[in-house]
Amino acid sequence: MNNKNNKQKWNPYDMVICDVPDAVLKDAMCQMEHPFFSLNKNRDMNSRRYEHNGNCIEVFPSHIGLVTIYDKDILVYAISQVMAKSREGGQISQNVQLSINQLLKFIGRGTSGRDYEHILEAFKRLRGTTIQTNVKSGDTQITKIFGLIESVDIERKEGFTGRITSVEMKLSDWIFNALKSNEVLTLNRDYFKIKKPIDKRIYELGRKHCGQQKEFSIGLAALHKKCGSSGNVRLFKQALKRIVEANELPDYFVDLDESKNVVTFFNRESWWKRNKDKASTLGILSTTAYESAKKAAPGYDVYYLEREFREWAFKLKDPIFNLDAAFIGFCRKVHKKRATPGIKSVAPAQSY
Protein backbone atom coordinates (compact mmCIF):
# COMPACT_ATOMS: atom_id res chain seq x y z
CA MET A 1 0.00 0.00 0.00
CA ASN A 2 1.25 3.48 -0.84
CA ASN A 3 0.59 5.42 2.35
CA LYS A 4 1.28 8.75 0.69
CA ASN A 5 -1.37 8.21 -1.97
CA ASN A 6 -3.89 6.87 0.55
CA LYS A 7 -3.60 9.55 3.21
CA GLN A 8 -7.04 10.94 2.49
CA LYS A 9 -8.63 7.56 3.17
CA TRP A 10 -7.66 7.36 6.84
CA ASN A 11 -10.48 9.43 8.30
CA PRO A 12 -11.17 8.57 11.96
CA TYR A 13 -14.71 9.98 11.77
CA ASP A 14 -15.85 7.75 8.88
CA MET A 15 -17.46 4.36 9.39
CA VAL A 16 -16.41 1.07 7.79
CA ILE A 17 -19.44 -1.11 7.05
CA CYS A 18 -18.43 -4.75 7.37
CA ASP A 19 -20.11 -6.28 4.32
CA VAL A 20 -17.35 -8.12 2.42
CA PRO A 21 -18.27 -11.82 2.83
CA ASP A 22 -15.13 -13.10 1.07
CA ALA A 23 -12.63 -10.71 2.66
CA VAL A 24 -9.07 -12.02 2.81
CA LEU A 25 -8.13 -12.76 6.41
CA LYS A 26 -5.70 -10.19 7.81
CA ASP A 27 -4.10 -9.72 11.21
CA ALA A 28 -2.00 -6.91 12.65
CA MET A 29 1.61 -7.97 13.14
CA CYS A 30 1.83 -6.11 16.44
CA GLN A 31 -0.69 -8.45 18.08
CA MET A 32 0.81 -11.57 16.49
CA GLU A 33 4.27 -10.87 17.87
CA HIS A 34 3.50 -10.83 21.60
CA PRO A 35 1.26 -12.95 23.89
CA PHE A 36 -1.58 -10.51 24.63
CA PHE A 37 -4.32 -13.17 24.53
CA SER A 38 -5.08 -15.82 27.11
CA LEU A 39 -5.00 -19.42 25.88
CA ASN A 40 -7.31 -20.62 28.66
CA LYS A 41 -10.84 -21.66 27.76
CA ASN A 42 -12.07 -20.83 31.26
CA ARG A 43 -12.07 -17.36 32.78
CA ASP A 44 -8.49 -16.21 33.30
CA MET A 45 -8.08 -13.64 36.08
CA ASN A 46 -4.27 -13.68 36.11
CA SER A 47 -2.22 -10.69 35.04
CA ARG A 48 0.76 -11.48 32.86
CA ARG A 49 4.14 -9.91 32.25
CA TYR A 50 6.24 -10.50 29.14
CA GLU A 51 9.73 -9.13 28.50
CA HIS A 52 11.57 -9.32 25.19
CA ASN A 53 14.59 -7.41 23.88
CA GLY A 54 14.37 -4.81 26.64
CA ASN A 55 10.67 -4.11 26.13
CA CYS A 56 8.09 -5.08 28.73
CA ILE A 57 4.41 -5.84 28.20
CA GLU A 58 1.92 -6.29 31.02
CA VAL A 59 -1.67 -7.42 30.48
CA PHE A 60 -4.33 -6.89 33.16
CA PRO A 61 -7.77 -8.56 33.14
CA SER A 62 -11.12 -6.89 33.68
CA HIS A 63 -13.59 -8.26 36.25
CA ILE A 64 -14.70 -10.89 33.69
CA GLY A 65 -11.18 -12.02 32.80
CA LEU A 66 -8.44 -11.62 30.25
CA VAL A 67 -9.18 -11.34 26.57
CA THR A 68 -8.80 -14.77 24.94
CA ILE A 69 -7.42 -15.95 21.63
CA TYR A 70 -11.02 -16.84 20.66
CA ASP A 71 -12.06 -13.23 21.33
CA LYS A 72 -9.34 -12.21 18.92
CA ASP A 73 -11.42 -13.68 16.07
CA ILE A 74 -13.51 -10.49 16.28
CA LEU A 75 -10.43 -8.35 15.71
CA VAL A 76 -9.29 -10.52 12.80
CA TYR A 77 -12.73 -10.10 11.24
CA ALA A 78 -12.70 -6.31 11.71
CA ILE A 79 -9.13 -5.93 10.44
CA SER A 80 -9.92 -8.10 7.41
CA GLN A 81 -12.92 -5.92 6.59
CA VAL A 82 -11.00 -2.66 7.01
CA MET A 83 -8.16 -3.85 4.76
CA ALA A 84 -10.67 -5.16 2.18
CA LYS A 85 -12.22 -1.69 2.04
CA SER A 86 -8.75 -0.22 1.66
CA ARG A 87 -8.00 -2.44 -1.33
CA GLU A 88 -11.30 -1.37 -2.89
CA GLY A 89 -10.28 2.27 -2.49
CA GLY A 90 -13.11 3.10 -0.10
CA GLN A 91 -13.11 5.40 2.91
CA ILE A 92 -11.87 3.56 5.98
CA SER A 93 -11.41 4.37 9.64
CA GLN A 94 -11.04 2.74 13.03
CA ASN A 95 -14.84 2.80 13.44
CA VAL A 96 -16.49 -0.33 12.08
CA GLN A 97 -20.14 -1.28 11.90
CA LEU A 98 -20.87 -4.98 11.85
CA SER A 99 -23.68 -7.49 11.95
CA ILE A 100 -23.31 -10.10 14.69
CA ASN A 101 -24.91 -12.68 12.42
CA GLN A 102 -22.42 -12.02 9.61
CA LEU A 103 -19.55 -11.98 12.09
CA LEU A 104 -20.53 -15.33 13.57
CA LYS A 105 -20.80 -16.94 10.13
CA PHE A 106 -17.50 -15.46 8.96
CA ILE A 107 -15.57 -16.81 11.95
CA GLY A 108 -17.26 -20.21 11.80
CA ARG A 109 -19.47 -20.02 14.87
CA GLY A 110 -23.13 -20.92 15.32
CA THR A 111 -25.87 -18.28 15.31
CA SER A 112 -27.95 -19.32 18.33
CA GLY A 113 -28.85 -17.05 21.22
CA ARG A 114 -25.98 -18.51 23.23
CA ASP A 115 -23.51 -17.69 20.43
CA TYR A 116 -24.75 -14.09 20.46
CA GLU A 117 -24.20 -13.86 24.22
CA HIS A 118 -20.71 -15.33 23.93
CA ILE A 119 -19.82 -12.67 21.37
CA LEU A 120 -21.11 -9.93 23.65
CA GLU A 121 -18.92 -11.28 26.47
CA ALA A 122 -15.98 -11.25 24.06
CA PHE A 123 -16.60 -7.56 23.31
CA LYS A 124 -16.48 -6.86 27.04
CA ARG A 125 -13.14 -8.64 27.44
CA LEU A 126 -11.71 -6.85 24.39
CA ARG A 127 -12.76 -3.51 25.87
CA GLY A 128 -11.90 -4.34 29.48
CA THR A 129 -8.44 -5.91 29.19
CA THR A 130 -5.71 -3.32 29.78
CA ILE A 131 -2.26 -3.45 28.19
CA GLN A 132 0.74 -1.53 29.51
CA THR A 133 3.99 -1.32 27.57
CA ASN A 134 7.27 0.52 27.91
CA VAL A 135 8.93 1.79 24.76
CA LYS A 136 12.45 3.23 24.90
CA SER A 137 13.42 6.21 22.75
CA GLY A 138 17.02 7.22 23.34
CA ASP A 139 17.35 7.98 27.04
CA THR A 140 13.59 8.33 27.48
CA GLN A 141 11.23 5.55 28.44
CA ILE A 142 7.54 5.99 27.64
CA THR A 143 4.82 3.95 29.31
CA LYS A 144 1.70 3.43 27.21
CA ILE A 145 -1.58 2.09 28.64
CA PHE A 146 -4.37 1.11 26.25
CA GLY A 147 -7.07 -1.39 25.37
CA LEU A 148 -7.49 -3.45 22.22
CA ILE A 149 -10.69 -1.59 21.31
CA GLU A 150 -11.83 1.86 22.38
CA SER A 151 -15.58 1.29 22.61
CA VAL A 152 -18.56 -0.77 21.47
CA ASP A 153 -22.07 0.56 20.76
CA ILE A 154 -24.76 -2.12 20.62
CA GLU A 155 -28.12 -1.23 19.10
CA ARG A 156 -31.07 -3.39 20.13
CA LYS A 157 -34.68 -3.72 19.11
CA GLU A 158 -37.18 -3.45 21.97
CA GLY A 159 -35.13 -2.73 25.05
CA PHE A 160 -31.97 -3.84 26.85
CA THR A 161 -32.43 -7.55 26.15
CA GLY A 162 -34.03 -7.22 22.71
CA ARG A 163 -32.75 -8.39 19.36
CA ILE A 164 -29.40 -6.87 18.38
CA THR A 165 -29.73 -4.90 15.15
CA SER A 166 -26.19 -3.53 14.77
CA VAL A 167 -22.86 -3.11 16.54
CA GLU A 168 -20.39 -0.28 16.13
CA MET A 169 -16.86 -0.92 17.36
CA LYS A 170 -13.94 1.47 17.51
CA LEU A 171 -10.51 -0.10 17.10
CA SER A 172 -7.75 1.16 19.37
CA ASP A 173 -5.25 3.71 18.03
CA TRP A 174 -2.56 1.06 18.52
CA ILE A 175 -4.18 -1.40 16.12
CA PHE A 176 -5.36 1.26 13.69
CA ASN A 177 -1.86 2.75 13.41
CA ALA A 178 -0.63 -0.70 12.37
CA LEU A 179 -3.32 -0.85 9.67
CA LYS A 180 -2.42 2.63 8.40
CA SER A 181 1.20 1.49 8.08
CA ASN A 182 0.06 -1.73 6.35
CA GLU A 183 1.70 -3.78 9.10
CA VAL A 184 -0.58 -6.72 8.49
CA LEU A 185 -0.21 -10.31 7.37
CA THR A 186 -2.60 -12.57 5.47
CA LEU A 187 -3.89 -15.58 7.39
CA ASN A 188 -5.03 -18.88 5.97
CA ARG A 189 -8.85 -19.01 5.67
CA ASP A 190 -8.74 -22.12 7.85
CA TYR A 191 -7.48 -20.05 10.79
CA PHE A 192 -10.98 -19.99 12.27
CA LYS A 193 -11.18 -23.78 12.03
CA ILE A 194 -8.22 -24.31 14.34
CA LYS A 195 -9.97 -25.48 17.50
CA LYS A 196 -7.31 -25.67 20.21
CA PRO A 197 -6.03 -22.32 21.56
CA ILE A 198 -2.39 -23.45 21.69
CA ASP A 199 -2.64 -24.56 18.04
CA LYS A 200 -4.03 -21.15 17.00
CA ARG A 201 -1.16 -19.39 18.75
CA ILE A 202 1.50 -21.69 17.27
CA TYR A 203 0.08 -21.05 13.79
CA GLU A 204 0.19 -17.28 14.39
CA LEU A 205 3.84 -17.45 15.42
CA GLY A 206 4.68 -19.60 12.42
CA ARG A 207 2.95 -17.10 10.13
CA LYS A 208 4.70 -14.16 11.79
CA HIS A 209 8.23 -15.56 11.95
CA CYS A 210 8.44 -18.16 9.17
CA GLY A 211 6.21 -16.39 6.66
CA GLN A 212 7.30 -17.24 3.11
CA GLN A 213 10.72 -18.52 4.20
CA LYS A 214 11.51 -22.20 3.72
CA GLU A 215 11.90 -22.69 7.47
CA PHE A 216 12.35 -20.92 10.79
CA SER A 217 13.89 -22.32 13.99
CA ILE A 218 13.48 -21.15 17.57
CA GLY A 219 14.43 -22.53 20.97
CA LEU A 220 11.69 -24.33 22.89
CA ALA A 221 11.93 -22.00 25.90
CA ALA A 222 11.73 -18.89 23.70
CA LEU A 223 8.70 -20.28 21.84
CA HIS A 224 7.03 -21.08 25.16
CA LYS A 225 7.52 -17.48 26.30
CA LYS A 226 6.25 -15.99 23.02
CA CYS A 227 3.27 -18.33 23.03
CA GLY A 228 2.01 -17.09 26.39
CA SER A 229 1.12 -20.57 27.66
CA SER A 230 0.16 -20.65 31.35
CA GLY A 231 1.62 -24.14 31.73
CA ASN A 232 5.29 -24.88 32.37
CA VAL A 233 7.78 -25.77 29.63
CA ARG A 234 7.29 -29.51 30.20
CA LEU A 235 3.53 -29.30 29.58
CA PHE A 236 4.10 -26.96 26.66
CA LYS A 237 6.50 -29.51 25.14
CA GLN A 238 3.85 -32.22 25.40
CA ALA A 239 1.32 -30.01 23.62
CA LEU A 240 3.87 -29.24 20.93
CA LYS A 241 4.59 -32.94 20.38
CA ARG A 242 0.87 -33.45 19.80
CA ILE A 243 0.88 -30.66 17.21
CA VAL A 244 3.90 -32.20 15.48
CA GLU A 245 2.27 -35.63 15.36
CA ALA A 246 -1.13 -34.38 14.19
CA ASN A 247 0.42 -32.16 11.48
CA GLU A 248 -2.84 -30.23 11.06
CA LEU A 249 -1.73 -26.59 10.96
CA PRO A 250 -2.42 -24.61 7.77
CA ASP A 251 0.60 -23.44 5.74
CA TYR A 252 3.26 -24.93 8.03
CA PHE A 253 4.27 -28.15 9.65
CA VAL A 254 6.31 -28.19 12.83
CA ASP A 255 9.28 -30.30 13.92
CA LEU A 256 10.67 -30.67 17.44
CA ASP A 257 14.29 -31.67 17.98
CA GLU A 258 14.06 -33.01 21.53
CA SER A 259 17.81 -33.49 21.87
CA LYS A 260 18.44 -29.76 21.30
CA ASN A 261 15.02 -28.44 22.38
CA VAL A 262 14.70 -26.60 19.07
CA VAL A 263 11.44 -26.11 17.19
CA THR A 264 11.43 -25.64 13.41
CA PHE A 265 8.55 -24.37 11.28
CA PHE A 266 8.57 -25.57 7.66
CA ASN A 267 6.66 -23.76 4.93
CA ARG A 268 4.45 -26.39 3.27
CA GLU A 269 4.65 -24.73 -0.15
CA SER A 270 8.44 -24.62 -0.09
CA TRP A 271 8.63 -28.19 1.19
CA TRP A 272 6.43 -29.41 -1.66
CA LYS A 273 8.56 -27.67 -4.29
CA ARG A 274 11.67 -29.39 -2.91
CA ASN A 275 10.10 -32.83 -2.54
CA LYS A 276 7.37 -33.06 -5.18
CA ASP A 277 9.38 -35.41 -7.41
CA LYS A 278 9.84 -37.90 -4.56
CA ALA A 279 6.24 -37.50 -3.40
CA SER A 280 5.00 -38.17 -6.93
CA THR A 281 6.67 -41.61 -7.04
CA LEU A 282 3.77 -43.11 -5.08
CA GLY A 283 1.95 -43.87 -8.31
CA ILE A 284 -1.01 -42.60 -10.34
CA LEU A 285 -4.55 -42.31 -9.01
CA SER A 286 -7.41 -43.72 -11.08
CA THR A 287 -10.21 -41.56 -12.53
CA THR A 288 -12.74 -43.23 -10.23
CA ALA A 289 -10.58 -42.31 -7.24
CA TYR A 290 -10.98 -38.60 -8.04
CA GLU A 291 -14.74 -39.00 -8.42
CA SER A 292 -14.98 -40.84 -5.10
CA ALA A 293 -12.77 -38.23 -3.46
CA LYS A 294 -15.15 -35.46 -4.58
CA LYS A 295 -17.98 -37.29 -2.84
CA ALA A 296 -15.87 -37.93 0.26
CA ALA A 297 -14.88 -34.25 0.54
CA PRO A 298 -17.61 -32.15 -1.12
CA GLY A 299 -16.67 -28.55 -1.80
CA TYR A 300 -12.92 -29.17 -1.77
CA ASP A 301 -10.35 -28.96 -4.55
CA VAL A 302 -9.45 -32.66 -4.81
CA TYR A 303 -6.33 -31.91 -6.85
CA TYR A 304 -4.98 -29.76 -4.06
CA LEU A 305 -5.98 -32.48 -1.62
CA GLU A 306 -4.00 -34.92 -3.75
CA ARG A 307 -0.90 -32.79 -3.35
CA GLU A 308 -1.34 -32.71 0.41
CA PHE A 309 -2.08 -36.42 0.46
CA ARG A 310 1.19 -37.13 -1.35
CA GLU A 311 3.05 -34.88 1.09
CA TRP A 312 1.54 -36.83 3.98
CA ALA A 313 2.10 -40.25 2.40
CA PHE A 314 5.69 -39.44 1.48
CA LYS A 315 6.58 -39.29 5.19
CA LEU A 316 4.97 -42.62 6.13
CA LYS A 317 7.27 -45.37 7.27
CA ASP A 318 5.06 -48.17 5.89
CA PRO A 319 4.22 -48.50 2.17
CA ILE A 320 0.73 -47.82 0.80
CA PHE A 321 -0.63 -50.89 -0.98
CA ASN A 322 -3.92 -49.41 -2.25
CA LEU A 323 -3.27 -45.82 -3.33
CA ASP A 324 -6.87 -45.09 -4.40
CA ALA A 325 -8.39 -46.30 -1.12
CA ALA A 326 -5.79 -44.42 0.94
CA PHE A 327 -6.47 -41.18 -0.95
CA ILE A 328 -10.24 -41.47 -0.60
CA GLY A 329 -9.87 -42.21 3.11
CA PHE A 330 -7.58 -39.19 3.47
CA CYS A 331 -10.17 -36.94 1.81
CA ARG A 332 -12.94 -38.31 4.00
CA LYS A 333 -10.84 -37.66 7.12
CA VAL A 334 -10.06 -34.11 6.01
CA HIS A 335 -13.73 -33.36 5.43
CA LYS A 336 -14.75 -34.85 8.78
CA LYS A 337 -12.11 -33.00 10.78
CA ARG A 338 -12.51 -29.66 9.08
CA ALA A 339 -16.27 -29.49 8.59
CA THR A 340 -17.57 -26.39 10.39
CA PRO A 341 -21.25 -25.41 10.61
CA GLY A 342 -22.06 -22.27 8.65
CA ILE A 343 -18.96 -22.29 6.44
CA LYS A 344 -18.45 -23.98 3.10
CA SER A 345 -14.77 -24.64 2.58
CA VAL A 346 -13.27 -22.90 -0.41
CA ALA A 347 -9.67 -22.93 0.79
CA PRO A 348 -7.23 -25.80 0.30
CA ALA A 349 -7.39 -28.39 3.05
CA GLN A 350 -4.66 -28.82 5.61
CA SER A 351 -2.60 -31.98 5.81
CA TYR A 352 -3.06 -34.88 8.20
Side-chain angles (χ1 to χ4, degrees), residues 29-40:
M29 287 189 280
C30 55
Q31 64 179 9
M32 298 173 71
E33 173 72 19
H34 306 300
F36 296 108
F37 301 88
S38 171
L39 304 183
N40 293 331

Side-chain angles (χ1 to χ4, degrees), residues 110-164:
T111 55
S112 68
R114 172 180 280 188
D115 294 305
Y116 270 68
E117 291 305 315
H118 286 169
I119 283 293
L120 294 182
E121 290 296 306
F123 278 123
K124 294 176 185 177
R125 286 188 292 269
L126 284 166
R127 175 62 184 87
T129 297
T130 301
I131 297 168
Q132 177 175 305
T133 66
N134 71 306
V135 180
K136 293 181 179 179
S137 178
D139 295 330
T140 303
Q141 181 172 293
I142 302 171
T143 298
K144 185 173 181 64
I145 302 174
F146 58 93
L148 292 165
I149 60 176
E150 298 289 336
S151 61
V152 181
D153 295 332
I154 301 171
E155 184 176 302
R156 291 181 182 267
K157 188 84 170 176
E158 301 174 351
F160 187 73
T161 59
R163 180 173 60 87
I164 298 172

